[in-house]
Amino acid sequence: MNPQPFTSRVHTPLLIIAAVFLVVVMPVLNATGFISDFTLGNWGKYLCYGILAISIDLLWGYTGLLSLGQALFFTLGGYMMGMHLMRMIGGEGVPTFLSMVGRTEWPSFFLPFSSFPFALLMIILVPGLLAYVFGYLAFRSRIKGVYFSILTQALTYGAALLFFRNELLMGGNNGFTDFRTLLGFSLRDDGTKRGLYIATAILLVVVVAFCKWLTGSRFGLIQRAIRDSENRVLFSGYATANFKLFIFVISAVIASFAGALFVPQVGIINPSEMETGKSLEAVVWVALGGRGTIVGPVVGAVSVNAIKSWASSGATADYWPLMLGGAFVLVVLFMPKGIVGIPGQIAEISARIKRNRNQAAPDQAPTPPSQATDP
Amino acid sequence: MIYLPIRLPVMRSCIGLITLLAIVLLTSPSLVRAQDATAPAAISGTVREIIAAAVVAEPADQKQIISNFKTNPSPEVVGWLDKWKEGVIFIHEAEDGTATAVLLDGSAAADGSFATVKLSDGSPMLAANGSPVRINPKEVDFADTNSGLRRAMKEVTDLAALADPDPAKRIRAIQDSSIGQKVEKLPSLEALKAMEKNPEALRALDVAISIIKLKSPTREERIKACNDLAKIKPLSARDIIKSVLTEAEAAKDRELIAAASNALAAIDSHISTINAFGTAFRGLSLGSVLLVVAIGLAITFGLMGIINMAHGELIAIGAYTTYVIQNLFVAGLNLSPFGKSLSIPGLNLESGANLYFIVALPASFLVAALVGLVLERSVIRFLYRRPLESLLATWGISLVLQQLMKFIFGANNVQVSSPSWLSGNWTVNDIVFGWNRVFVIGFAVLIIVVTWLVLNKTSLGLLIRAVMQNRNMAACMGIRTERVNMMTFAFGCGLAGLAGAFLSQIGNVGPFLGQTYIVDSFMTVVVGGVGNILGTVISALGIGMTDQALQQYLGNPVIGKILVLGAIILFLQWRPAGLFVTRSRSLD
């Protein structure tokens, strides 16, 4: 009836149009003054969150691993970029976060971050290695399902506790801020901001294309098989732990890149980005947009954050958590496929009504797939 | 202000002590000298008369007169000396120049003046013409004291404290007496030691005497004092012994060095024993907190498989229930839910502050269980087959509940005052057991016993276990599994409410109270092994102990906590399904 319930139904031409709009049309509109710098900056942020959401969906929607640690990888990428940006501030002496703990010189691990390629390497390596080690330990001992979620949450919690300490020399509570230049361009210039937006949009397009390719390949098939019944895959002779480890590292790196682009756009990185709630919030975007699709998470991330920046200020600020929490419960209960699943759900319901009208045997109606697929 | 003659009760039991003190002091050489010097003053009479005479005496004589009280430092004397220091004794100077010590009497007249009474006997002060004397305290100077006089007074009050009938006060006075290591205090302390019956006071006396003897001019006595201290191992003597050791090293006195370092080592090993016990005790109480917080989750998550992220908010609900009940028992409370002001009158019960907890416990259980019931019927029951999605939905619920609590009770923390008996502590061999920590442990034991009884000795418990072990089979046997689910979830939530009532006793209550504990409680349940209450108990105590031990060892709570999280991740390598595995033939 519906063998691949969570695959994307959005057609490629539509995706290309959306990509062209985000990468080309938006910046042009901004340059000609139709879209304000503020709006463009917000969209840059939303798209970063969109990339983060894809990384979660790659794990949750496609492999059945609900990771509550993606915010950690996102923040780590942000910190790596932040370290580079801190080194680029220049000037005499050391920044306050170092002088505050009695340091008069940069700690040695900061020094190589003056080079952008090195920072780029670290953006890949640090979260990648952490994900590798943690994933290796977790998947080797076959920790899965809920346990995996709780462990990743604990990992994030522990890391947040660590980063809140000034003695880590990563800025403590306040994190890094007051950035000036990136690759020689002033971060205050409209041109640089537009450039960062374009870079984010391009990264998003690349990530979407990569994930489309990956999930469409044989690898993607095994991924989905692991999600649906890991034991059968295991018995068929696949080392599922290696597949899971690979996808865990890939999505950690994707999240890290999103964080690295996020930091120069918002101008600050601090440990509150990796608090437990942040990971869960990102999972909400995925659930709301539609998990098991590549575009759904982006739609979810952008729409939730657009509504949030509208609703979480002014008179409605107090009601925002109510709206978010309520929306979440409703989505989980009634829209298991999220926003991008709505057309499918409507089609299904109308088909069922049509069938019921045609034949008087309602008990042959198929059960909703969402009930059957979860472990 | 009324100053009537106050006769402080002199306990019979301390009369003996005082008399003894008097004898000792009279025979000690320094006091004999004092006796000679004050001979010309030759003041006798009641305490009040002596004090009254002292107030108007020449400054040089005042000190001597006060020092005479050392022979009989009764509480009455201390009371009058305190009044003198406070400046409520005034000096009235008659026209002929005679000065009299007076006290104010009655209330102030329109011009601010008071009637007066004589300090010496409490009779009204009359002028030469027979009219009562009124003085204005703003115009007349009170009887002054200088530093020498105050020192003399302090010596008298210290001596009185040494004879205080209250053992706690007496012990404190004994401990204070060794400060400064004044050798002249030794005879009186030795005399006290002969009289003292209270073992703790005796120990304090031994310590004080030995500490003073460390300053003794004879070397043998110093060594003996060191040896004595090595036996008693008082913490307070550590620094003094250390300084003795440095002096001995400077003087190259081998025997003294050996004795002092021996005493120091004895005290240090005593300190490390105390620390070990203290750490174990703190670990036990932290483990109990974790246990109480996690036990509800062990039911909802462990037994039912619902990842209840709203568990923390149910704890907060229990805590707020306690807060409301407490205020209902005393003065009532004012809330402003959703911007509307709501005022609930209180019962104003006499002993409400201590009694409310008895009502608050079941109330917090019931309120949280009710909320849990509503949640189960409205949301959770649709998610039994989708555990990961129950995580998301309950997180949404937790956001909503947090915000609702913020609307009703405000974003700031509220204070729940705990019953007064919780604030004391109990010291055994220098190890301090705070009553609140003892309460924590006792409460945890209570909750475990209750949970165990419900699960193993009631028919509800039997149904719960049957449904959780095999839902389909239970349904086939005619058990209404829907209903059992509902009751189980409500029971787990009620336990969370109890945890809230409990947490309100050891900290503040706020809308985000539960967030602090949510990660910890999940960890506890996962380590213990899902579906096993005993596992939860062991893992809670284990995590608590490890945390406190690391904290003690590293001296840093955050690093300790991070290490515990790392240890848990590694532990799950060894036992992926926790301490106790529920064995089953089913795959997944």
Side-chain angles (χ1 to χ4, degrees), chain B residues 172-191:
Chain B
R172 205 169 314 131
I174 293 170
Q175 284 163 350
D176 287 349
S177 69
S178 67
I179 295 171
Q181 297 173 287
K182 296 227 170 73
V183 185
E184 62 267 21
K185 282 184 183 170
L186 271 177
S188 58
L189 288 172
E190 299 272 13

Side-chain angles (χ1 to χ4, degrees), chain B residues 537-558:
Chain B
V537 174
I538 295 177
S539 89
L541 295 183
I543 292 176
M545 291 278 197
T546 319
D547 189 281
Q548 285 300 319
L550 284 174
Q551 223 180 85
Q552 175 79 30
Y553 183 68
L554 300 167
N556 185 323
V558 178

Side-chain angles (χ1 to χ4, degrees), chain B residues 213-294:
Chain B
K213 274 188 181 162
L214 285 176
K215 259 272 161 66
S216 156
T218 51
R219 181 168 154 275
E220 279 66 36
E221 240 180 15
R222 288 210 295 270
I223 292 171
K224 188 175 172 299
C226 279
N227 291 339
D228 286 348
L229 286 173
K231 270 180 224 136
I232 315 173
K233 301 174 207 154
L235 304 186
S236 53
R238 193 172 178 274
D239 290 343
I240 300 166
I241 295 180
K242 226 175 177 178
S243 62
V244 168
L245 185 62
T246 7
E247 275 169 33
E249 272 165 359
K252 299 222 166 71
D253 183 342
R254 281 232 190 98
E255 243 177 292
L256 189 55
I257 291 175
S261 46
N262 189 22
L264 205 59
I267 291 176
D268 281 344
S269 85
H270 185 51
I271 288 177
S272 61
T273 320
I274 291 172
N275 282 345
F277 272 101
T279 305
F281 181 62
R282 277 195 305 276
L284 199 63
S285 79
L286 177 68
S288 304
V289 172
L290 283 178
L291 182 55
V292 170
V293 172

Side-chain angles (χ1 to χ4, degrees), chain A residues 60 137 140-141 146-147 149-150 153-154 158 162 165 231 280 283-284 291 318 321-322 325-326 328-329 332 374, chain B residues 301 307 309 386 388-389 391-393 395-396 400 403 407 522-523 526 530 556 558 562 565 573 576 587-588:
Chain A
W60 183 35
L137 291 175
R140 191 187 67 116
S141 55
V146 180
Y147 293 89
S149 309
I150 291 170
Q153 190 183 32
L162 195 66
R165 289 174 54 78
N231 281 321
L280 278 160
V283 174
V284 178
R291 67 190 176 109
D318 282 344
L322 282 186
F328 206 21
V329 175
V332 169
D374 268 293
Chain B
F301 170 51
I307 305 162
M309 296 297 279
R386 298 187 275 165
L388 281 182
E389 285 170 44
L391 186 157
L392 303 178
W395 187 65
V400 172
Q403 198 59 31
F407 278 141
F522 270 108
M523 282 291 134
V526 167
V530 167
N556 185 323
V558 178
I562 292 167
L565 287 175
Q573 293 299 302
L587 202 56
D588 282 348

Side-chain angles (χ1 to χ4, degrees), chain B residues 200-524:
Chain B
E200 277 177 60
L202 269 177
R203 180 172 181 264
L205 274 171
D206 280 338
V207 171
I209 291 170
S210 304
I211 288 180
I212 294 176
K213 274 188 181 162
L214 285 176
K215 259 272 161 66
S216 156
T218 51
R219 181 168 154 275
E220 279 66 36
E221 240 180 15
R222 288 210 295 270
I223 292 171
K224 188 175 172 299
C226 279
N227 291 339
D228 286 348
L229 286 173
K231 270 180 224 136
I232 315 173
K233 301 174 207 154
L235 304 186
S236 53
R238 193 172 178 274
D239 290 343
I240 300 166
I241 295 180
K242 226 175 177 178
S243 62
V244 168
L245 185 62
T246 7
E247 275 169 33
E249 272 165 359
K252 299 222 166 71
D253 183 342
R254 281 232 190 98
E255 243 177 292
L256 189 55
I257 291 175
S261 46
N262 189 22
L264 205 59
I267 291 176
D268 281 344
S269 85
H270 185 51
I271 288 177
S272 61
T273 320
I274 291 172
N275 282 345
F277 272 101
T279 305
F281 181 62
R282 277 195 305 276
L284 199 63
S285 79
L286 177 68
S288 304
V289 172
L290 283 178
L291 182 55
V292 170
V293 172
I295 192 79
L297 203 66
I299 306 264
T300 51
F301 170 51
L303 281 176
M304 301 183 73
I306 298 295
I307 305 162
N308 189 5
M309 296 297 279
H311 182 75
E313 280 57 48
L314 288 158
I315 293 176
I317 286 176
Y320 272 119
T321 310
T322 314
Y323 168 71
V324 169
I325 299 271
Q326 188 207 359
N327 282 295
L328 285 185
F329 265 60
V330 283
L333 78 167
N334 293 308
L335 298 173
S336 51
F338 305 100
K340 292 175 195 67
S341 135
L342 173 73
S343 173
I344 306 169
L347 297 169
N348 287 313
L349 293 183
E350 279 284 319
S351 50
N354 286 327
L355 273 181
Y356 77 93
F357 200 59
I358 299 165
V359 180
L361 272 185
S364 55
F365 180 88
L366 287 178
V367 171
L370 205 66
V371 174
L373 206 68
V374 173
L375 287 185
E376 204 273 345
R377 284 290 91 183
S378 56
V379 179
I380 311 283
R381 67 175 168 137
F382 302 109
L383 300 172
Y384 283 122
R385 285 169 178 278
R386 298 187 275 165
L388 281 182
E389 285 170 44
S390 74
L391 186 157
L392 303 178
T394 49
W395 187 65
I397 293 171
S398 86
L399 278 185
V400 172
L401 287 179
Q402 267 172 30
Q403 198 59 31
L404 287 179
M405 285 187 281
K406 220 162 131 186
F407 278 141
I408 298 174
F409 296 100
N412 295 331
N413 283 351
V414 296
Q415 178 86 44
V416 176
S417 64
S418 39
S420 47
W421 47 265
L422 272 183
S423 50
N425 60 45
W426 177 43
T427 311
V428 179
N429 199 14
D430 291 327
I431 306 168
V432 181
F433 295 94
W435 279 124
N436 55 351
R437 287 188 192 274
V438 175
F439 160 78
V440 164
I441 295 168
F443 195 88
V445 171
L446 179 82
I447 282 209
I448 292 304
V449 169
V450 167
T451 312
W452 185 82
L453 283 179
V454 168
L455 284 183
N456 290 298
K457 297 286 165 194
T458 64
S459 58
L460 174 69
L462 188 67
L463 295 183
I464 289 177
R465 281 180 294 140
V467 172
M468 298 318 143
Q469 277 167 20
N470 194 331
R471 190 180 300 269
N472 291 336
M473 183 60 84
C476 291
M477 304 296 282
I479 297 172
R480 288 200 257 173
T481 54
E482 283 268 300
R483 207 157 151 195
V484 174
N485 282 339
M486 191 174 87
M487 300 300 287
T488 317
F489 193 76
F491 179 59
C493 292
L495 287 179
L498 276 186
F502 160 83
L503 288 182
S504 72
Q505 301 298 307
I506 55 174
N508 284 336
V509 177
F512 303 110
L513 171 74
Q515 291 296 301
T516 335
Y517 292 99
I518 191 77
V519 175
D520 287 333
S521 29
F522 270 108
M523 282 291 134
T524 308

Side-chain angles (χ1 to χ4, degrees), chain A residues 119-156:
Chain A
L120 209 59
L121 189 69
M122 285 298 127
I123 289 169
I124 299 172
L125 276 187
V126 171
L129 272 179
L130 179 65
Y132 182 81
V133 172
F134 180 82
Y136 176 78
L137 291 175
F139 298 132
R140 191 187 67 116
S141 55
R142 296 210 203 155
I143 291 172
K144 54 190 167 191
V146 180
Y147 293 89
F148 182 72
S149 309
I150 291 170
L151 269 191
T152 46
Q153 190 183 32
L155 177 75
T156 316

